[in-house]
Amino acid sequence: MRMISLGKTGLLVTSTAMGCLPVQRCDEDYAVKLLRAAYEGSINYFDTANAYTDSEKKIGLALSDVRDKIIISTKSAAKDREGVLSHIENSLRMMKTDYIDLFQFHQVTEVPDPNDPNGAFAGALEAKRRGWIGHIGVTSHRVNVAEDCIASGLFETLQFPFSYISSDRDLALADKCREADMGYIAMKGLAGGMLTNARACHAFMKSHDNVVPIWGIQKMEELEQWLSLAREDPDMDEELAAFIRRERQELSGSFCRSCGYCMPCPAGIEIYNCARMNMLLRRSPWQQYMTDQWREKMEKINDCIGCRSCASRCPYQLDTPNLLKYMLKDYREFYEAHKYLL
């Protein structure tokens, strides 16, 4: 498998890497088998987070005996020194290791203050002094914050949503990281499940040779698909480029990336799924969204109190309340047109 250097860290990671958020949804035995199969399929980079419930524990169970042959990154959203140290210490314990290759500040909304002795950055520096972590990176969903993080010179890597429907400004982050000798880790390469042509996604990532995609993998068949593409390693060709152009046109505009910054909703609306329901219905098996449970979730949109806190927090400047209203209308129409097939 091709290898990519994560900027100035010097860490060499496989060009197909594994995002371990989804393994928290697998039972323990299956998760261990899945992670081990990824390693045996030549993946050497596994990305997780303190917030991903038992993901770290499963990594420890599956891969602690090959720790010297893999690279692990994890994350913490703690805002102070002691919180960061506590999270890192717990991560070490869960993953049965005495060091973490890359620690990342999780979903930051501003650059952590490096001068605050009690702040999160001070915690990361202390963990590095203790030998608990090797390198310090950052993740965000907000392009202006990501740009500030790159310009700060504080971080060795950036993790950011990156796919072929990303905006030009978002895509430019990869070049900014190259110029700063920072590693670039691409999350949400499938745009929250909206992109279904894995070959196009792989070829797109390959066309940015400093970008390391972490594919969220939950099933063996998904793993085999990515491993098969890694072995074939297809380049971008005109057919794939034309497909991507059509996708970008279809998915441009008011498209919810399901980043979750809009949550929690005071009215209890599951915004990050409801706000992209039209695409879920048309780009994945629609029957799963016709259950009584999903109909209840969608009808919950009627409880919107108009506070617009979701819109104020959206990093993509979506008019979320009106988008939700449109999704409910579209959902009802789709249900009426398809209910006879249920």
Side-chain angles (χ1 to χ4, degrees):
M1 196 182 299
R2 280 186 299 111
M3 306 298 288
I4 299 175
S5 176
L6 280 177
K8 68 188 74 171
T9 69
L11 297 171
L12 281 175
V13 300
T14 46
S15 58
T16 292
M18 185 164 178
C20 296
L21 181 152
V23 301
Q24 67 184 321
R25 298 193 285 266
C26 304
D27 68 55
E28 193 170 277
D29 288 343
Y30 189 86
V32 168
K33 291 176 183 176
L34 183 65
L35 288 160
R36 194 70 185 195
Y39 166 74
E40 291 172 354
S42 297
I43 290 176
N44 82 334
Y45 177 33
F46 298 83
D47 177 84
T48 185
N50 174 270
Y52 300 165
T53 60
D54 62 356
S55 172
E56 292 180 322
K57 178 185 177 184
K58 289 166 177 172
I59 289 173
L61 291 171
L63 301 172
S64 61
D65 64 321
V66 293
R67 179 64 186 92
D68 61 330
K69 296 180 176 65
I70 62 173
I71 290 167
I72 295 173
S73 59
T74 192
K75 317 175 191 78
S76 168
K79 302 300 183 185
D80 60 15
R81 178 182 182 276
E82 293 309 313
V84 165
L85 287 171
S86 175
H87 281 179
I88 293 174
E89 192 170 15
N90 184 64
S91 295
L92 292 170
R93 184 168 54 251
M94 290 295 100
M95 292 190 285
K96 300 183 178 181
T97 183
D98 58 3
Y99 71 99
I100 292 161
D101 300 282
L102 171 63
F103 167 79
Q104 301 160 99
F105 294 100
H106 200 179
Q107 292 190 3
V108 300
T109 55
E110 61 183 1
V111 179
D113 184 356
N115 299 312
D116 181 355
N118 298 311
F121 202 88
L125 290 178
E126 176 60 26
K128 191 170 183 179
R129 281 192 290 269
R130 295 182 188 183
W132 291 0
I133 63 175
H135 304 279
I136 299 174
V138 64
T139 85
S140 185
H141 285 266
R142 304 188 180 195
V143 65
N144 61 312
V145 175
E147 291 167 341
D148 290 344
C149 287
I150 296 170
S152 74
L154 295 172
F155 308 103
E156 295 172 272
T157 64
L158 170 70
Q159 185 175 147
F160 194 81
F162 190 85
S163 72
Y164 62 67
I165 62 167
S166 295
S167 70
D168 290 342
R169 186 178 177 186
D170 289 354
L171 294 177
L173 292 173
D175 288 334
K176 290 179 184 294
C177 280
R178 188 199 304 278
E179 294 165 5
D181 198 18
M182 287 175 63
Y184 191 100
I185 303 162
M187 62 166 141
K188 293 192 176 292
L190 298 176
M194 288 297 99
L195 308 183
T196 57
N197 187 328
R199 188 181 186 85
C201 292
H202 176 98
F204 171 80
M205 293 295 183
K206 185 181 179 182
S207 68
H208 298 80
D209 61 5
N210 66 318
V211 172
V212 178
I214 49 170
W215 306 111
I217 298 172
Q218 185 174 339
K219 299 177 181 178
M220 285 290 184
E221 51 266 37
E222 295 170 351
L223 173 62
E224 182 49 44
Q225 179 182 51
W226 291 117
L227 291 178
S228 177
L229 281 167
R231 290 189 291 267
E232 181 188 356
D233 206 18
D235 293 316
M236 182 69 68
D237 58 24
E238 182 49 41
E239 182 180 352
L240 289 175
F243 174 83
I244 287 172
R245 286 194 294 271
R246 292 194 298 272
E247 290 270 278
R248 283 180 64 86
Q249 184 175 10
E250 179 182 349
L251 294 170
S252 62
S254 56
F255 168 58
C256 174
R257 273 76 168 179
S258 192
C259 69
Y261 267 95
C262 54
M263 299 293 288
C265 170
I269 303 167
E270 194 174 294
I271 300 171
Y272 60 92
N273 277 319
C274 294
R276 58 186 188 139
M277 180 53 67
N278 64 335
M279 291 297 174
L280 291 173
L281 291 173
R282 292 163 176 83
R283 301 176 70 85
S284 58
W286 57 267
Q287 291 86 348
Q288 62 187 311
Y289 300 110
M290 294 290 108
T291 63
D292 290 342
Q293 182 183 21
W294 267 109
R295 291 175 65 194
E296 183 179 342
K297 286 181 180 181
M298 290 302 295
E299 292 297 333
K300 190 75 176 171
I301 292 170
N302 285 320
D303 295 340
C304 174
I305 62 175
C307 68
R308 297 191 64 82
S309 62
C310 53
S312 69
R313 295 196 298 265
C314 178
Y316 301 99
Q317 290 81 51
L318 298 181
D319 184 356
T320 315
N322 283 323
L323 182 60
L324 287 168
K325 291 176 184 177
Y326 168 78
M327 292 299 164
L328 177 57
K329 178 176 179 292
D330 185 73
Y331 181 84
R332 287 170 172 170
E333 292 174 353
F334 190 96
Y335 180 82
E336 288 302 316
H338 292 80
K339 63 182 180 181
Y340 74 96
L341 296 173
L342 294 173

